[in-house]
Amino acid sequence: MDCHQQAIHQGSTLPAMIASAHPEANRLAYRIRTALTGESTGLETAKLAWQQAEAVARANAALQQARQLLADGTLLDCLLLENQYPKLLETARSLDHPLAEAWAKRCQTYGWRLAPPVDTEAVSKIQAAIEEQGELKDWLFKQYRAAVRSKTESARAYQIIELIAARFPDDPNAKEEAAAKRAQMLAQAAADVKDATEQLIPAEPPKAVAHRYLALGLPLADSPDATLASALAQAAAEHAKTLSDKVRAVVDKAQDLSEASNWQEVESAYLACDHTLAINEARGDLPPELRDAFEKVATQLSRIRAKYESSISIRLAIADIRNGADNKGKPVPLPNRVAKLKSLESQTLKTGSQIPPELQAEIKSAYTHARRKRIPLLGGAAAALLLFAGASYFYLQQKEEQETAAALQAEALAALQSTEQTGSTAQVCEALQKWEGQIALAEANSSLANQATLLQDWLALQASLENEYQKSVADLQKLAASPDSLQNAAAIEVLANDIRKARADLAPDRGTQADVQFAALLADYQKRQASDLEQKRRELARVERELRIAANNATQAKSRAEFQRLQTAAETRVQTLNTLLQEDFAAPSRSQLTPLLKSVTQQLSSIETKWAALENAWLQLAQTKELTPYLAQLERIHSFDILPAEQKAALSQTLRLKDSFAQLKSSQNLFATPEAADAFTTGQRYLDTQVELSDEERAYLTRLQGLESFANVYQSTVQYFEGSAEPQNEYRIYLVEPISKSDSQENESSVAFSFKVRGFDEFGNPEPSPREIQFISRADGSFWGFFYKPSTLSPESEYYQRSISNTLSHLLAGANRLAILDQLADLEKQSQLSPAFRVYWQQQFIQFAQLHPWKWGLALSPSLKKHAAQLDKLPSGEENQRLWLSIIEQTVPSPDISILAKKELGELPRKEIAALSKLYQNAANGQYQLAGYVLADGKPDLLKETNPKANLWSVNALTGNIDRIQPGQKLTPYAPILVYTLPGGDTPQKQLEKATFASGLKLAEPPYASLLPPLYQ
């Protein structure tokens, strides 16, 4: 794997955070065009090549995946992938620019990273599939609705609506729906991260959950959730540490950076790391000292690359001088090519770089080549002179060697014999190599030749032994490196002993590398044996620790599903621990851990039995239809010691109100006022109940008894004469006492007598004394004056004594609720009585009813209350009590009083009271019954027969009291939900309809609607 491939492989690993600062394709194309035009080189241009190659590789990977999705028949997945890489098709087209071929040639020339070709075939196929689909908007919305309906594809639904919003930015509905879905997914991400954080053994760590949602493109940083923010911060910190470690690795790798080292490998690592920092915008997160060290590496690489690229540029210029060059189809003149070479040479020297000797020779050769084209004869003569000088030197050297050959033969023999005694193959080999020439010149079977043959045979034997030794070490290495090497310890030990024996026959300086390898193998194997033993011991301790944790967590599980998950984890560790205890290394721990395994197994079995019983108890609770058994079942569930704390607390809050549930009807206000609740009691008919008077009512009625202004008022008919035999006027007057008549006094022309009359003044007060009124009867048959007929008790006093006093006594003795209504109806019929008299007693009886309107039905009759309001406008008190006796009122009745006296209520009040009282009585006779219960999430779950629109009661989670359920109210989990049921099983609406039909009153409309019991409203 070369440096570029290794960097690509490292860059393909999914980071902890999502890189979002990839360079734009159009910008890359522009920079490449600029670099080609200006013939730019250097480290920055190498960075540009790296960025281009990364962009193409990334786009090709996405195109290949999209192409595969398209081949599988899922255009939607292809579009979703295309949307993850903003404008993927457009990006791919921009990367496949016309200068790609020229740029590839430049990259090959200067050793920059070469970008692969863009997969234009995939671009064409994807575009054709999109165009073939036709109208995308409706099709995408259809796919979105299908994903929304599926409860398991919320993430896919979010991706689809984001795709719609991106492709159709002018659609406000898509934008609004995308925003709503984004908010929903943010809340879901926060909830999932919180769950993963709170779980002791989560299926997925919190940072992995956060990364999964980040991969969807969600702006998790916008969420206010503290747990999610903490998970993001942790992931970001780990990601920053990972990047810092990569940078530090590059810095460490560049410690001994020089031209002589493999600087291209360091440069590839640097460019890969620099690109990663750029796309993650993480350069500023590096510690200052590490950032400075990284920049120093860049400076070193820049200097080395500049020198390297200057050499390449110079060689290219030399090639142009030798081979010619074209610019835009026209040949470049030789002087221009020479000038370019001189310029490059000058630039290199100015930067302080030294031109290598071989390159200097090539430069000189190039200049010579250029000059030779101008003076070819001079070049030929110089070449002949050089050839002659070389031949002379070779002849003299050969002669000198021949003279010294004989002396060297003897010296070589002595050296070989001396080296044989050392036993060192290196020295023998060195001697043979040193005297190789003399040995070759020696005659056959000479001492020098025989000694050389002996040493050569010994060297061959040592080489063969070394090969066998190395092969054995290699075999040992394979065996030690095999996956089951630790299980083959016996075979490895036998082979190691054989290798030790083979080493004794080998020269000390032979197989030294194999010696090091053999020693390292043994040390490494022994180290691995010790590490394996330690790892097994740690594994045993880890499994034991995890078993204890899992068993403890299982005892604290909040649900049976969680217990089963933890039970499975514990049982898995029981099996693992049992397996480990069978191995030899675990023998000392068996006596301690075997009882633990038995205890945990028994504990899990016991808890499983309890969870089964608890689950069955919950099922029985859900099947309960009555309140008392429901509360009893709650008490049974509350007694389970495995019940989670939050569930136990919720049940405690409900069970604390057990007595309150039993007394709920008496504690709840079914009616608008306490007086209404007192008037309607369970099992008693409102209209048939004898009313018990209060002290205030008794005092009121007692005050009305025996009123002299009503009990003993007399009346007389008065006739007024003015000379005629017929009265000119005749009317009735009220008298304080009966009329008395004087004796007649007669004379020749007339008879006269007088009446003593004591009546009432204009205010209704008795006159101080009787008035004597004279009447004259003349002889001519004419009458003069006022004639009073015999007085009698007034009909008002008779009515008072006969009816009103009787009603007052009846009320004091305990009358029914309609007694006052009966009296008022009777008063309406007494048209012969004084209007002021009738109105006054109407006023008194209604004011009496107003003391406690629910007792006498006044609160249930809008018509009666309206009449009472009209009566309240009249004066009251002593003045109104005597108004009917006023001489003025007797003569000219007041208009207001006359109107009220003529008004007839008829049977309407009785109808109203009868209809509404029946509804109130039904409400009083009702009972609270179980209508459902509250689920664990606080949402109500009603029985099938329960009307969801009915008024419901349950335990308020905020107040801890039994309250009527209101919209948005938070309820206590598992609390019973009650409904108030009426006699006969009818709903309030049905009873209201029946009462409306029976009474003929529109009870659901004003003014009756406001008087209905709350259940019927």
Side-chain angles (χ1 to χ4, degrees):
M1 181 182 294
D2 60 26
C3 299
H4 289 177
Q5 291 173 336
Q6 183 179 3
I8 293 172
H9 176 73
Q10 293 173 350
S12 65
T13 304
L14 191 62
M17 302 294 285
I18 305 299
S20 59
H22 295 281
E24 296 181 2
N26 292 335
R27 180 64 179 167
L28 289 175
Y30 171 78
R31 291 177 61 196
I32 288 174
R33 187 183 305 108
T34 305
L36 288 173
T37 303
E39 296 185 354
S40 300
T41 57
L43 187 62
E44 288 302 316
T45 311
K47 286 183 181 180
L48 175 59
W50 193 278
Q51 292 172 1
Q52 171 72 4
E54 282 286 343
V56 174
R58 181 170 178 265
N60 279 348
L63 289 170
Q64 183 61 32
Q65 187 178 357
R67 186 175 181 179
Q68 184 61 44
L69 292 172
L70 194 61
D72 295 339
T74 54
L75 176 60
L76 177 60
D77 289 332
C78 178
L79 292 174
L80 292 177
L81 179 65
E82 202 270 345
N83 193 49
Q84 288 180 357
Y85 297 80
K87 301 180 181 179
L88 173 62
L89 300 183
E90 182 179 338
T91 299
R93 295 188 185 99
S94 298
L95 292 174
D96 188 32
H97 48 76
L99 299 175
E101 184 177 352
W103 179 251
K105 183 177 180 181
R106 177 68 65 90
C107 291
Q108 291 176 338
T109 300
Y110 289 98
W112 301 331
R113 181 176 171 182
L114 185 62
V118 177
D119 191 356
T120 54
E121 182 181 356
V123 174
S124 301
K125 287 190 175 181
I126 295 171
Q127 185 63 45
I130 294 175
E131 292 174 355
E132 183 180 354
Q133 178 61 39
E135 176 60 33
L136 281 178
K137 189 174 184 180
D138 294 339
W139 179 73
L140 286 174
F141 266 114
K142 181 178 178 182
Q143 300 296 323
Y144 170 69
R145 286 189 290 271
V148 168
R149 286 192 295 269
S150 174
K151 296 182 178 179
T152 60
E153 294 187 342
S154 58
R156 186 175 180 84
Y158 168 73
Q159 289 178 304
I160 296 174
I161 193 61
E162 287 287 12
L163 169 62
I164 296 172
R167 278 191 168 268
F168 308 98
D170 296 331
D171 189 341
N173 294 330
K175 286 185 177 180
E176 182 179 355
E177 186 68 19
K181 196 66 179 175
R182 191 179 306 116
Q184 177 186 349
M185 291 298 295
L186 284 175
Q188 180 177 331
D192 288 353
V193 170
K194 185 176 181 181
D195 290 343
T197 304
E198 293 176 349
Q199 291 177 359
L200 295 176
I201 307 178
E204 191 177 13
K207 62 182 181 180
V209 176
H211 184 273
R212 176 159 48 82
Y213 282 97
L214 279 174
L216 297 176
L218 275 173
L220 297 188
D222 297 343
S223 174
D225 186 82
T227 306
L228 178 57
S230 175
L232 289 176
Q234 180 183 1
E238 293 180 3
H239 184 49
K241 183 179 182 304
T242 302
L243 294 179
S244 297
D245 293 341
K246 288 184 178 180
V247 173
R248 191 171 285 106
V250 172
V251 172
D252 294 340
K253 196 171 187 178
Q255 287 294 334
D256 300 323
L257 183 63
S258 65
E259 297 177 26
S261 63
N262 189 8
W263 63 271
Q264 287 93 343
E265 182 179 348
V266 177
E267 183 188 56
S268 295
Y270 166 80
L271 292 176
C273 187
D274 182 80
H275 182 71
T276 302
L277 292 176
I279 63 176
N280 286 278
E281 299 179 314
R283 194 181 300 273
D285 298 333
L286 297 176
E289 64 276 8
L290 184 59
R291 189 165 59 247
D292 294 340
F294 192 67
E295 293 299 328
K296 288 181 181 178
V297 173
T299 303
Q300 291 177 290
L301 289 173
S302 180
R303 184 171 62 251
I304 294 173
R305 173 155 282 283
K307 187 173 182 180
Y308 172 78
E309 291 179 349
S310 66
S311 298
I312 294 175
S313 299
I314 289 174
R315 285 191 169 90
L316 291 176
I318 292 172
D320 289 343
I321 290 176
R322 293 183 178 277
N323 305 326
D326 293 335
N327 183 20
K328 297 182 180 180
K330 296 181 180 180
V332 179
L334 179 62
N336 292 354
R337 287 176 272 158
V338 174
K340 180 178 180 181
L341 177 59
K342 289 182 178 180
S343 175
L344 292 172
E345 182 181 7
S346 175
Q347 290 176 8
T348 303
L349 294 175
K350 285 180 180 179
T351 58
S353 301
Q354 297 294 328
I355 300 177
E358 65 275 10
L359 186 57
Q360 291 181 8
E362 291 181 23
I363 294 173
K364 290 179 181 179
S365 176
Y367 288 149
T368 300
H369 177 78
R371 287 194 300 269
R372 187 167 59 245
K373 288 190 175 182
R374 292 191 297 269
I375 47 173
L377 294 177
L378 182 59
L385 181 61
L386 287 174
L387 181 63
F388 175 75
S392 299
Y393 176 78
F394 176 77
Y395 174 76
L396 294 175
Q397 183 71 21
Q398 185 178 16
K399 184 178 179 181
E400 184 179 354
E401 289 178 357
Q402 290 176 353
E403 292 176 353
T404 59
L408 290 176
Q409 293 280 325
E411 185 179 355
L413 177 61
L416 294 180
Q417 291 173 345
S418 175
T419 305
E420 182 182 5
Q421 303 302 320
T422 63
S424 171
T425 59
Q427 294 183 13
V428 171
C429 207
E430 180 182 359
L432 289 174
Q433 289 177 353
K434 180 177 180 181
W435 302 106
E436 181 179 7
Q438 298 302 320
I439 294 172
L441 297 174
E443 296 180 1
N445 295 322
S446 65
S447 298
L448 180 58
N450 292 335
Q451 184 67 32
T453 302
L454 177 65
L455 292 179
Q456 288 171 353
D457 292 342
W458 183 74
L459 286 177
L461 175 63
Q462 290 296 319
S464 175
L465 292 175
E466 183 180 29
N467 288 337
E468 292 296 328
Y469 179 63
Q470 291 175 345
K471 183 178 178 181
S472 298
V473 172
D475 292 340
L476 178 64
Q477 183 178 15
K478 289 181 181 179
L479 188 59
S482 63
D484 54 351
S485 60
L486 296 176
Q487 286 74 32
N488 295 329
I492 290 176
E493 185 62 31
V494 171
L495 182 58
N497 291 331
D498 293 342
I499 292 174
R500 293 187 185 98
K501 294 177 182 178
R503 185 65 184 86
D505 298 332
L506 194 62
D509 62 337
R510 281 283 186 176
T512 54
Q513 185 176 359
D515 289 343
V516 175
Q517 185 179 5
F518 178 60
L521 280 174
L522 290 180
D524 179 68
Y525 184 72
Q526 293 170 356
K527 182 178 179 181
R528 282 193 291 127
Q529 280 184 316
S531 175
D532 180 66
L533 179 60
E534 180 63 26
Q535 184 177 357
K536 286 182 177 180
R537 290 172 178 170
R538 286 199 301 267
E539 177 70 9
L540 181 67
R542 180 186 66 80
V543 174
E544 177 193 357
R545 183 174 63 257
E546 290 181 356
L547 175 59
R548 293 182 185 273
I549 293 174
N552 181 63
N553 292 343
T555 63
Q556 303 175 11
K558 297 181 179 180
S559 65
R560 189 177 187 184
E562 183 181 358
F563 167 75
Q564 289 174 339
R565 180 175 64 82
L566 295 172
Q567 181 187 29
T568 301
E571 289 176 346
T572 300
R573 285 160 178 80
V574 166
Q575 295 175 359
T576 304
L577 188 60
N578 201 15
T579 302
L580 291 174
L581 288 177
Q582 305 306 316
E583 299 186 22
D584 295 337
F585 80 93
S589 302
R590 287 174 189 158
S591 60
Q592 176 186 357
L593 296 182
T594 301
L596 172 65
L597 294 176
K598 182 178 180 181
S599 173
V600 169
T601 302
Q602 293 175 347
Q603 182 183 21
L604 292 176
S605 177
S606 174
I607 297 175
E608 169 63 23
T609 302
K610 290 181 180 180
W611 274 112
L614 179 59
E615 187 174 277
N616 183 59
W618 282 115
L619 292 175
Q620 291 179 6
L621 180 70
Q623 297 170 358
T624 305
K625 303 296 183 182
E626 297 180 3
L627 176 60
T628 302
Y630 185 89
L631 293 176
Q633 188 67 12
L634 279 185
E635 285 184 321
R636 178 169 175 259
I637 294 174
H638 185 268
S639 65
F640 280 88
D641 58 353
I642 61 172
L643 190 67
E646 60 273 14
Q647 293 182 354
K648 188 176 284 291
L651 295 185
S652 297
Q653 187 172 3
T654 299
L655 293 175
R656 177 178 57 83
L657 301 171
K658 184 177 180 181
D659 293 338
S660 299
F661 278 109
Q663 302 169 5
L664 181 60
K665 184 176 179 180
S666 60
S667 63
Q668 291 291 325
N669 295 325
L670 294 175
F671 307 115
T673 63
E675 186 177 0
D678 293 339
F680 295 92
T681 56
T682 304
Q684 297 182 0
R685 283 178 52 82
Y686 174 79
L687 296 180
D688 298 339
T689 306
Q690 298 295 321
V691 180
E692 183 178 349
L693 299 182
S694 65
D695 293 341
E696 181 184 19
E697 289 174 316
R698 288 186 177 278
Y700 188 96
L701 294 176
T702 303
R703 178 177 57 81
L704 297 178
Q705 284 184 316
L707 295 177
E708 287 296 327
S709 56
F710 292 97
N712 297 306
V713 176
Y714 296 87
Q715 72 169 3
S716 176
T717 301
V718 182
Q719 293 177 327
Y720 175 65
F721 295 89
E722 255 187 40
S724 64
E726 296 296 330
Q728 188 175 354
N729 192 8
E730 183 177 351
Y731 56 90
R732 187 179 66 148
I733 66 170
Y734 296 112
L735 303 172
V736 178
E737 55 191 27
I739 295 175
S740 62
K741 179 183 176 187
S742 64
D743 296 335
S744 301
Q745 298 178 1
E746 297 182 8
N747 55 30
E748 296 178 354
S749 60
S750 64
V751 178
F753 54 87
S754 62
F755 297 94
K756 286 186 177 182
V757 179
R758 187 183 180 193
F760 298 90
D761 59 17
E762 65 272 19
F763 300 108
N765 295 319
E767 293 179 343
S769 60
R771 289 180 290 111
E772 188 171 346
I773 299 175
Q774 194 173 38
F775 181 78
I776 301 173
S777 175
R778 297 186 184 276
D780 56 4
S782 62
F783 299 101
W784 299 88
F786 293 90
F787 180 82
Y788 289 82
K789 292 182 179 182
S791 58
T792 61
L793 191 65
S794 67
E796 286 80 4
S797 293
E798 291 179 356
Y799 186 79
Y800 173 78
Q801 295 176 9
R802 182 187 77 247
S803 179
I804 293 179
S805 294
N806 185 48
T807 300
L808 294 175
S809 300
H810 186 46
L811 290 172
L812 286 169
N816 63 46
R817 300 185 186 276
L818 298 181
I820 293 178
L821 193 62
D822 293 339
Q823 180 62 68
L824 292 176
D826 190 61
L827 277 170
E828 284 185 2
K829 299 175 183 178
Q830 308 303 319
S831 59
Q832 78 282 3
L833 300 181
S834 167
F837 176 89
R838 287 188 289 151
V839 169
Y840 172 79
W841 282 108
Q842 288 181 9
Q843 190 179 34
Q844 293 306 308
F845 281 113
I846 288 179
Q847 286 179 353
F848 170 74
Q850 286 176 334
L851 295 177
H852 297 287
W854 286 97
K855 281 186 179 181
W856 309 104
L858 176 61
L860 301 174
S861 175
S863 61
L864 198 56
K865 289 197 287 186
K866 181 179 179 182
H867 189 60
Q870 294 172 341
L871 291 174
D872 287 341
K873 295 178 181 179
L874 298 178
S876 59
E878 186 68 23
E879 178 184 353
N880 192 37
Q881 180 180 340
R882 308 187 66 86
L883 182 62
W884 70 285
L885 297 173
S886 169
I887 190 66
I888 298 175
E889 188 66 29
Q890 295 175 36
T891 308
V892 184
S894 302
D896 294 340
I897 292 177
S898 298
I899 293 172
L900 288 174
K902 293 178 181 179
K903 183 176 180 181
E904 295 183 2
L905 296 175
E907 293 296 319
L908 181 58
R910 189 178 300 273
K911 275 185 173 182
E912 294 172 338
I913 294 172
L916 292 175
S917 65
K918 185 175 182 181
L919 294 178
Y920 273 89
Q921 192 62 56
N922 286 339
N925 292 339
Q927 294 292 336
Y928 284 98
Q929 293 185 355
L930 188 66
Y933 52 88
V934 183
L935 298 175
D937 58 2
K939 296 181 180 178
D941 185 18
L942 303 180
L943 300 178
K944 291 183 179 180
E945 58 271 17
T946 301
N947 182 4
K949 296 182 180 179
N951 295 324
L952 302 173
W953 283 261
S954 190
V955 180
N956 190 325
L958 298 179
T959 64
N961 298 324
I962 303 174
D963 295 333
R964 181 174 170 181
I965 299 177
Q966 303 295 336
Q969 181 177 326
K970 189 176 181 181
L971 304 178
T972 300
Y974 316 111
I977 298 176
L978 304 182
V979 63
Y980 196 75
T981 58
L982 301 174
D986 287 340
T987 64
Q989 181 64 27
K990 188 66 176 178
Q991 286 196 356
L992 182 59
E993 291 174 359
K994 289 182 178 180
T996 299
F997 178 78
S999 64
L1001 302 175
K1002 297 180 180 179
L1003 298 178
E1005 300 178 6
Y1008 304 108
S1010 61
L1011 298 178
L1012 294 174
L1015 289 174
Y1016 296 91
Q1017 292 181 0

